[in-house]
Structures are given as structure tokens and as C-alpha cells.
Amino acid sequence: MKKQKHKTDIVSVANLAGVSAATVSRALNHPDLVQPATRKKIDQAIRKSGYIRNRAAQTIHGRRSGTIGLVVPTVAYAIFAELVQAFNDAVSERGFTLLLASHGYDLDTEYGLVRKLLEHRVDALALIGLDHSADTYRVLREQNVPTLAIWNFDAASPVSCVGVNNAEIGNIAADHLIMLGHRRIGTIFPSTGENDRARSRKSAAFERFRAAQADLDEIWQIQTPYSIAQAKDACLDLLARQDRPTALLCGNDVIAQGAIYAALKLGLSVPKDISIIGIGDFAGSAELEPALTTVRIPARRIGAIAAEHLAAAVDRTEEDFLVRTRFEAELIMRATTAVARAK
Amino acid sequence: MKKQKHKTDIVSVANLAGVSAATVSRALNHPDLVQPATRKKIDQAIRKSGYIRNRAAQTIHGRRSGTIGLVVPTVAYAIFAELVQAFNDAVSERGFTLLLASHGYDLDTEYGLVRKLLEHRVDALALIGLDHSADTYRVLREQNVPTLAIWNFDAASPVSCVGVNNAEIGNIAADHLIMLGHRRIGTIFPSTGENDRARSRKSAAFERFRAAQADLDEIWQIQTPYSIAQAKDACLDLLARQDRPTALLCGNDVIAQGAIYAALKLGLSVPKDISIIGIGDFAGSAELEPALTTVRIPARRIGAIAAEHLAAAVDRTEEDFLVRTRFEAELIMRATTAVARAK
DNA sequence: AATAGTTATGCAAATGTTTTCATTAATTTT
DNA sequence: AAAATTAATGAAAACATTTGCATAACTATT
């Protein structure tokens, strides 16, 4: 018995129900336009034939595709996990399906992914941050699909954005360390070349540190990707030095976690021997021992609002979609920072 | 100036290039069939008009949609993050785009998501584990889309699967604790109702423990979701007891991390006062202080192979797709387990 | 009871591609 | 130079839907 090529399209359902294809279509999309009795027949026919609508056919007709694209640098670490989860939940609650793509912090790859998502005719598109290639910006403008930049807020952004002011975050973190009396500061950030979030945080913090005439010895400033293992490794070297800083500002909580482990491994007490502050307040940061002092970025709320904005933009057929929502970051003082000791 | 409704379809490109739509289509899909000169004209026309192919139109024609669906319980925690990342990388390397959906450990929700992905005519579909509703299995059979269950290996699975034998994992973890002399054992698992992975691990381990006549005091067996915070909380109660177990088997590394933090908070030494073993070997588990002893599940390799299988299955037009690949789990001895002390 | 208005349904066109078949042009063989 | 191949292109059908328009069957109004 050869598996029959399941020829279950809308017309076979229509035949089975004894109505026209148009009526079946209406029963599915505008149930109020078809008589209850007919609807019932159709429902049965659908159930019986195992019919599944073809979204592609709707899409081609100009209808919404029912998909929203999300392009992130990575999902491998905790950084975007909560965001993706919240975004996905909010988006699917509104009947959309998520098309996910990740580019590994490479903006040319990102451009390719954006194109691919546009080929699939996503109804809306979300990217992380405001650093994108000129090609990406151009194609988004041309296709005018509702687009949203998540994570970084900028009042002058070329596209809609919802997020935090990352410079502000840098300020908050730096001020906290300065306030505690630290003047010997180390920083651990990822490469800031194609990452506006990290760049803003870092340069803002540096400015503050300089204003406070802190010692920012070149050798204490290190660069490592967002990875616990690599951050720990890098910090082992840094913290084993005779002349080490009294405080460490980490590009995010993942790095901070690595830093803490490095300190513990070396038998240093956090925060007595070294203060460590993270950025993000990821899941688990509060439970760390010692609990991580960090600057909270409300990932869930950002993800949820982002999804809400985009879903709304899809319905409105209005011309240009532009919203900017700013969330406030917040210092969460826990147990990894303390007043600087005289050294 | 009203933004013209970008009428950039294949025929407008064709007109611009002075050829027929058919030729443009060929230039895109079978470049070797069209003369270099013509191809060049077409390329220019495409560039100039900002044309982006409409995947929906191809799909409707019977061509592959170029999407692969992945349904996971959650992306919020580290559990599936590496898997999703590896799967996504492998899938997009082969030209597909990932449609992601998450159901929050609810199998009815999962059914809905599977249907939605099928509406989008995914070329292939991956699910986590082998616990799925009858409806889900039925619809997958009816539509015969290549389907793969990831994470759990079962030689008798109704669909293709790649993963580890979770019972085996339970055995490995239990044997390790027994071998170290532990006979007072606590376990922390999530609800096993709709989660075959956790169920297999737990029941296999229990069997081993019973065979070794270990003390499995009811009060030491706790249930908590995969969450660092909740696991830590639950363990604080457990470990503060006068009569606590000497070893803790955790449903996965996320829970184990919570358990470690709880122990540290209570001033207990791990592993001297309490041995803790996790499952999974997630990113960061090796860097924990003390480093986590765990049973490694090769998430990256599983994700990559899963994607490879599915991509291959899409090309092959063969009737039934059925592969089963088993990966071996491996005990990774680190610093959180030690020989039981007489109590 | 005749007219107007409403409701439910069907017909057919339209959506943006791909692909089969046919046609023309270019190349090779005799 | 004619015949036979081969290569490049175009015309049109097909894919699974949705929707505007037309029609038929009711219901409400006078």
C-alpha cells in the first residue's frame, strides 16, 4: 500500500463537506460569515481528513504570514535566554510563530539572516542592539517591515527600539565602585567592535573612572567573549598578580560569574579581597554564593513589550512604525562588592 | 510621496532585465541553465529593484519551505540553550531557517505548536524527548513530515531519535554515589509527569539505590522545577536538617547548581559534608567552585547530528524516515563528590 | 402580497513562484 | 551547405489559498 500523497487541500475538505472551497476558507477565517450548521459539517470534514491549512498559500495571497523574526547574536549563554523566552511567549500568545536566527556576533552573517527572514515574509522583525551593517539597515528600509531593535535604547535610533540606555548602565556600575572607594579598577569586556551594548557600557564607565582619577592600569583591562570558562581563565591570570585591582567591572553577569569562580579558586575572598560587579542580573545571579552585585536589565519585561509592540504594528496597516521605549536599569546590591580597603 | 507598495515580484525584475519571469526564476534556482550575460542583467535588475524572493510562493509550488521546526520545553535555562544553538547552527549551515516554539513542559500546548509548525509546512520537525500526546503522534504520522525526537534514545521509539539513554544516566550517577559508599541519598527532580527524560533517570537511579539497600528517606526526595532559585530554596530546607543525607542526586546541572549554593550558604563543605552530583554538564558546570561532578550529555553533538539527520531526510524523497542514534553519557568526576564519611 | 433588505454561499480571479513543453537560435556534423 | 544536435529562452499551467462580485434564499417592511 503506497502511502497516498496526502492530497488534503481545502477543496478536498470542501467536497467532503459538500460545500465550496470559498465557504471552507470563510469558515476558517471569518467563522461569523457562515451558518453554524455549515460550519459544523466543515469542522467534521476537517477532522476527518486531517486537513492542515497551508500558511504559505495564505501568505502568498497577501495575508500575514503569522511569523515574527528574531535575530540574536547567540542563544548559547544565559544572556539572551530569558529575553528569547519572554519574546517567544508573548509572540505566540498573539498567534505568531517565531523564526529564530543567530549570527554569532558577526554583522555580515546577520545581514544574510535578515534577508532570509524577509524571504519568508515575516510580518515583523526584531534585532538585538543598534549596531547593524548598512546593508541590513537599507534592506529593512526598502522592505518596510516593522522592525524593532531590542536591548539598547537610543532616543535618536534609526529604527524603533526598546531597551535600556547602556551608557547609563556603565555609569551606574562605575559610580557604585567609585562610591565604595575603589580607585584601582579592572574591567573585563568582550570585543566591542560589533557590539554597541558592550561599547556603550564600557566607554561610559571608563569616563566615570577617569573623572574619579582611578587607576586603570592597561594590564587590568582584559577582553574575553561572553563565556564563563574563558572569563574565569582570563581572571585567574589577572587576579594572581601581585598588584591587582581592588574592583572588577564585568561586561555582563556571565563574565562576572567566571570572575567570581576565579577569585574563589585562588582563595581570594569576594568581596573582601576583590569587589566584583556584573551587568544584567541573569537567572541565577541572585543565588550565586556570594550573591552577585549587578545592574539589572529587565529582560523579561523588555522581551514582552517588544513582542507587544511588533504584534500591534502588524495589525495596524499604518505607514511608518516607530516607537521607542526606555527601561530603567537598576543597581542590585548584593554580596560581591564592598568598601575598598587600603592597600 | 506615498510609499509605493513595493511591487517587486519576479515579473517586475524580469521586465527590468528585459527577460521573462521564467528566466529570472532559473537564474536564481539553476544558474547553470542561463547564459552568463543574461544572468548579469538579471543580477543587476535584482540589485536595483531590491527584490527579495518570496519563499511562500516557492513553498506553495511544492518546493521545500526551507524551514525546520524545533519544539522545546523552554529556552530560559541552560538546559537546552546549547542544544538549540548547535541545532540552529547546523540547520542554517544547510540553508534552512529555524522555526522555534516552546511549550513550558505542557504536552497539550506542544500539540498546538506542532500543528502550527505544520501549517507553515516545515520540511522537518524536531521535538524533545519521547513523551508526546497521542494527538501529536497522530498528526505527525498523518502528515509524514520527517520527525526526530532529541535527547532521549530508545531502541523502540515510534519516531526517529537521537540522544542518550536516560536510564543509563540514572545508573551511572547512582553507581557513582554508591561506589563512593553513600547509603543515605537525597534526590531532587522536577515533576516527571510529562517528562520522560527525568522519569527514566529517576526511576533507574532509584532501582540502583534500592538494590544497594540505601536509605531513601521519603523526606529527602524533593521535587522542584529546573530553576536555580527554586532548587536552592528547596535544598536549604533539606540540608539544614539534623539528619540529612550524605549525597544528593540532582535531576540536572541547574538543580545541582542550586544545591551547591544552598550548601555553601549553610556553611557546609562540598563534598566533605555533602556530595552533589548533577546531570548534563552544561556550560559553566566545569567552572563552578567547587567544580561539579556530573554525567555529561553531549548536547552540541546531539544537536548537530539531529540537524544533519533531518536535513538529509528532507533531500531524500524516500518514504519513511527512521534513524536512531545513541550517544553515550559519561561520568565527569570533578570536585563535588567524595567518599562518604561515617556519620 | 409585493418590495426591499439581509444572509449565506458559489464562481472565478488573483497572489508569486516553478516547471514542462515548445520555440528559436547557435553550434556541430556530415 | 544542409541536417542534426544542443543551448537558451518564453508561454502557460499549476500550486493552495482568499476575496470581490453575483446569486439565491430568506426575513422584514409596507
Side-chain angles (χ1 to χ4, degrees), chain B residues 37-49:
Chain B
T38 329
R39 230 181 317 169
K40 200 160 183 178
K41 278 192 300 180
I42 293 174
D43 278 353
Q44 286 172 347
I46 288 177
R47 201 103 25 94
K48 189 163 165 199
S49 62

Side-chain angles (χ1 to χ4, degrees), chain A:
Chain A
M1 184 190 99
K2 199 173 173 188
K3 202 147 203 169
Q4 73 238 357
K5 253 283 143 270
H6 259 299
K7 175 75 179 176
T8 34
D9 53 357
I10 204 172
V11 2
S12 75
V13 171
N15 291 339
L16 198 59
V19 299
S20 78
T23 307
V24 177
S25 173
R26 270 185 288 253
L28 287 160
N29 300 301
H30 316 280
D32 42 312
L33 290 184
V34 13
Q35 236 180 350
T38 328
R39 229 182 315 169
K40 200 160 184 177
K41 278 192 300 181
I42 293 175
D43 278 353
Q44 285 172 347
I46 288 177
R47 200 101 27 92
K48 189 163 164 200
S49 63
Y51 170 65
I52 293 199
R53 330 233 283 278
N54 188 332
R55 258 345 235 261
Q58 312 188 183
T59 304
I60 208 190
H61 198 85
R63 237 158 181 273
R64 331 182 311 188
S65 70
T67 58
I68 289 188
L70 173 62
V71 182
V72 296
T74 172
V75 298
Y77 291 97
I79 317 162
F80 299 115
E82 283 184 272
L83 177 78
V84 171
Q85 180 73 37
F87 189 80
N88 185 27
D89 289 350
V91 140
S92 70
E93 197 173 287
R94 286 169 179 78
F96 293 90
T97 300
L98 190 70
L99 271 157
L100 181 75
S102 84
H103 56 71
Y105 291 97
D106 179 84
L107 297 184
D108 289 330
T109 308
E110 184 187 50
Y111 171 62
L113 296 175
V114 167
R115 278 196 72 99
K116 215 187 306 186
L117 295 184
L118 291 173
E119 288 186 1
H120 284 287
R121 295 296 187 267
V122 289
D123 295 324
L125 193 52
L127 307 173
I128 299 295
L130 289 158
D131 258 12
H132 306 289
S133 75
D135 280 338
T136 302
Y137 273 122
R138 180 182 42 69
V139 74
L140 289 174
R141 208 174 333 107
E142 283 176 4
Q143 299 300 119
N144 73 311
V145 161
T147 303
L148 188 61
I150 303 184
W151 221 225
N152 206 352
F153 172 88
D154 180 348
S157 65
V159 297
S160 295
C161 60
V162 333
V164 291
N165 182 324
N166 278 282
E168 184 67 23
I169 288 182
N171 291 339
I172 293 173
D175 288 350
H176 177 63
L177 295 181
I178 292 167
M179 196 261 292
L180 291 174
H182 294 279
R183 291 297 182 279
R184 299 161 56 85
I185 311 271
T187 63
I188 318 168
F189 276 87
S191 158
T192 55
E194 310 206 317
N195 182 337
D196 58 325
R197 287 84 67 205
R199 198 167 53 238
S200 310
R201 294 173 194 170
K202 186 173 176 179
S203 64
F206 265 61
E207 219 163 287
R208 285 297 230 261
F209 288 139
R210 286 205 199 88
Q213 308 192 303
D215 183 356
L216 293 166
D217 193 328
E218 193 59 47
I219 212 137
W220 298 337
Q221 318 309 322
I222 53 189
Q223 183 174 311
T224 154
Y226 288 143
S227 138
I228 296 183
Q230 295 186 65
K232 182 179 181 184
D233 237 38
C235 288
L236 282 175
D237 292 343
L238 173 62
L239 295 178
R241 304 179 60 84
Q242 206 57 12
D243 64 327
R244 57 166 190 271
T246 65
L248 236 42
L249 167 56
C250 302
N252 74 11
D253 280 11
V254 166
I255 290 183
Q257 205 177 333
I260 291 176
Y261 293 151
L264 294 181
K265 178 160 194 179
L266 293 171
L268 297 175
S269 157
V270 181
K272 267 167 64 185
D273 297 319
I274 178 99
S275 280
I276 295 176
I277 184 169
I279 291 175
D281 195 26
F282 301 158
S285 291
E287 286 75 27
L288 274 168
E289 290 291 337
L292 181 65
T293 294
T294 187
V295 183
R296 171 177 297 162
I297 302 176
R300 310 193 102 87
R301 286 195 293 144
I302 291 177
I305 290 288
E308 204 171 295
H309 279 330
L310 284 180
V314 172
D315 288 335
R316 263 186 264 108
T317 348
E318 282 163 37
E319 54 295 347
D320 286 325
F321 161 69
L322 189 57
V323 308
R324 295 199 187 89
T325 306
R326 173 172 176 169
F327 282 84
E328 290 304 324
E330 180 190 1
L331 179 70
I332 306 289
M333 261 179 287
R334 297 205 184 98
T336 57
T337 50
V339 175
R341 293 188 300 178
K343 172 112 191 185

Side-chain angles (χ1 to χ4, degrees), chain B residues 118 177 253 327:
Chain B
L118 291 173
L177 295 181
D253 280 12
F327 282 84

